[in-house]
mmCIF file of all heavy atoms in Angstrom:
data_model
loop_
_atom_site.group_PDB
_atom_site.id
_atom_site.type_symbol
_atom_site.label_atom_id
_atom_site.label_comp_id
_atom_site.label_asym_id
_atom_site.label_seq_id
_atom_site.Cartn_x
_atom_site.Cartn_y
_atom_site.Cartn_z
ATOM 1 N N ASP A 384 -7.037 -9.824 -16.554
ATOM 2 C CA ASP A 384 -6.478 -10.847 -15.670
ATOM 3 C C ASP A 384 -7.478 -11.206 -14.576
ATOM 4 O O ASP A 384 -7.612 -12.380 -14.208
ATOM 5 C CB ASP A 384 -5.172 -10.338 -15.050
ATOM 6 C CG ASP A 384 -4.547 -11.341 -14.098
ATOM 7 O OD1 ASP A 384 -4.079 -12.385 -14.570
ATOM 8 O OD2 ASP A 384 -4.538 -11.082 -12.873
ATOM 9 N N PHE A 385 -8.165 -10.208 -14.042
ATOM 10 C CA PHE A 385 -9.212 -10.435 -13.045
ATOM 11 C C PHE A 385 -10.257 -11.408 -13.590
ATOM 12 O O PHE A 385 -10.640 -12.385 -12.931
ATOM 13 C CB PHE A 385 -9.852 -9.088 -12.692
ATOM 14 C CG PHE A 385 -11.102 -9.172 -11.847
ATOM 15 C CD1 PHE A 385 -11.026 -9.254 -10.474
ATOM 16 C CD2 PHE A 385 -12.359 -9.139 -12.449
ATOM 17 C CE1 PHE A 385 -12.182 -9.314 -9.695
ATOM 18 C CE2 PHE A 385 -13.516 -9.198 -11.685
ATOM 19 C CZ PHE A 385 -13.417 -9.288 -10.302
ATOM 20 N N GLN A 386 -10.712 -11.170 -14.806
ATOM 21 C CA GLN A 386 -11.705 -12.039 -15.440
ATOM 22 C C GLN A 386 -11.150 -13.437 -15.670
ATOM 23 O O GLN A 386 -11.822 -14.443 -15.379
ATOM 24 C CB GLN A 386 -12.156 -11.428 -16.769
ATOM 25 C CG GLN A 386 -13.199 -12.247 -17.515
ATOM 26 C CD GLN A 386 -13.490 -11.680 -18.897
ATOM 27 O OE1 GLN A 386 -12.615 -11.072 -19.534
ATOM 28 N NE2 GLN A 386 -14.717 -11.872 -19.378
ATOM 29 N N ALA A 387 -9.910 -13.504 -16.172
ATOM 30 C CA ALA A 387 -9.307 -14.802 -16.482
ATOM 31 C C ALA A 387 -9.116 -15.641 -15.220
ATOM 32 O O ALA A 387 -9.370 -16.853 -15.219
ATOM 33 C CB ALA A 387 -7.972 -14.596 -17.194
ATOM 34 N N ARG A 388 -8.676 -15.018 -14.142
ATOM 35 C CA ARG A 388 -8.452 -15.783 -12.910
ATOM 36 C C ARG A 388 -9.771 -16.289 -12.328
ATOM 37 O O ARG A 388 -9.832 -17.384 -11.770
ATOM 38 C CB ARG A 388 -7.700 -14.923 -11.888
ATOM 39 C CG ARG A 388 -6.228 -14.714 -12.249
ATOM 40 C CD ARG A 388 -5.471 -14.048 -11.110
ATOM 41 N NE ARG A 388 -4.093 -13.763 -11.463
ATOM 42 C CZ ARG A 388 -3.091 -14.628 -11.344
ATOM 43 N NH1 ARG A 388 -3.331 -15.854 -10.894
ATOM 44 N NH2 ARG A 388 -1.868 -14.287 -11.670
ATOM 45 N N ASN A 389 -10.818 -15.494 -12.450
ATOM 46 C CA ASN A 389 -12.125 -15.952 -11.983
ATOM 47 C C ASN A 389 -12.625 -17.108 -12.845
ATOM 48 O O ASN A 389 -13.000 -18.168 -12.335
ATOM 49 C CB ASN A 389 -13.138 -14.818 -12.016
ATOM 50 C CG ASN A 389 -14.529 -15.286 -11.614
ATOM 51 O OD1 ASN A 389 -14.840 -15.430 -10.435
ATOM 52 N ND2 ASN A 389 -15.384 -15.548 -12.595
ATOM 53 N N ASN A 390 -12.626 -16.907 -14.163
ATOM 54 C CA ASN A 390 -13.229 -17.893 -15.062
ATOM 55 C C ASN A 390 -12.398 -19.159 -15.198
ATOM 56 O O ASN A 390 -12.946 -20.263 -15.261
ATOM 57 C CB ASN A 390 -13.461 -17.273 -16.437
ATOM 58 C CG ASN A 390 -14.505 -16.162 -16.409
ATOM 59 O OD1 ASN A 390 -15.173 -15.956 -15.400
ATOM 60 N ND2 ASN A 390 -14.634 -15.446 -17.499
ATOM 61 N N ASN A 391 -11.074 -19.008 -15.246
ATOM 62 C CA ASN A 391 -10.202 -20.151 -15.537
ATOM 63 C C ASN A 391 -9.674 -20.854 -14.294
ATOM 64 O O ASN A 391 -9.180 -21.982 -14.396
ATOM 65 C CB ASN A 391 -9.010 -19.704 -16.390
ATOM 66 C CG ASN A 391 -9.444 -19.066 -17.700
ATOM 67 O OD1 ASN A 391 -10.549 -19.327 -18.187
ATOM 68 N ND2 ASN A 391 -8.603 -18.215 -18.257
ATOM 69 N N GLU A 392 -9.749 -20.200 -13.143
ATOM 70 C CA GLU A 392 -9.206 -20.796 -11.929
ATOM 71 C C GLU A 392 -10.307 -21.030 -10.880
ATOM 72 O O GLU A 392 -10.628 -22.174 -10.566
ATOM 73 C CB GLU A 392 -8.082 -19.910 -11.372
ATOM 74 C CG GLU A 392 -6.893 -19.812 -12.330
ATOM 75 C CD GLU A 392 -5.843 -18.794 -11.901
ATOM 76 O OE1 GLU A 392 -5.795 -18.447 -10.703
ATOM 77 O OE2 GLU A 392 -5.068 -18.331 -12.760
ATOM 78 N N LEU A 393 -10.879 -19.965 -10.378
ATOM 79 C CA LEU A 393 -11.918 -20.142 -9.355
ATOM 80 C C LEU A 393 -13.100 -20.945 -9.882
ATOM 81 O O LEU A 393 -13.585 -21.874 -9.221
ATOM 82 C CB LEU A 393 -12.399 -18.780 -8.862
ATOM 83 C CG LEU A 393 -11.492 -18.032 -7.882
ATOM 84 C CD1 LEU A 393 -12.085 -16.666 -7.540
ATOM 85 C CD2 LEU A 393 -11.244 -18.838 -6.614
ATOM 86 N N LEU A 394 -13.573 -20.579 -11.053
ATOM 87 C CA LEU A 394 -14.757 -21.243 -11.616
ATOM 88 C C LEU A 394 -14.416 -22.598 -12.210
ATOM 89 O O LEU A 394 -15.042 -23.610 -11.879
ATOM 90 C CB LEU A 394 -15.397 -20.339 -12.674
ATOM 91 C CG LEU A 394 -16.640 -20.882 -13.382
ATOM 92 C CD1 LEU A 394 -17.770 -21.131 -12.381
ATOM 93 C CD2 LEU A 394 -17.102 -19.904 -14.455
ATOM 94 N N ALA A 395 -13.409 -22.631 -13.091
ATOM 95 C CA ALA A 395 -13.123 -23.850 -13.859
ATOM 96 C C ALA A 395 -12.418 -24.928 -13.046
ATOM 97 O O ALA A 395 -12.534 -26.112 -13.360
ATOM 98 C CB ALA A 395 -12.274 -23.495 -15.086
#
Side-chain angles (χ1 to χ4, degrees):
D384 179 69
F385 170 85
Q386 180 187 30
R388 287 189 184 274
N389 177 80
N390 294 351
N391 302 336
E392 296 172 21
L393 283 177
L394 179 61

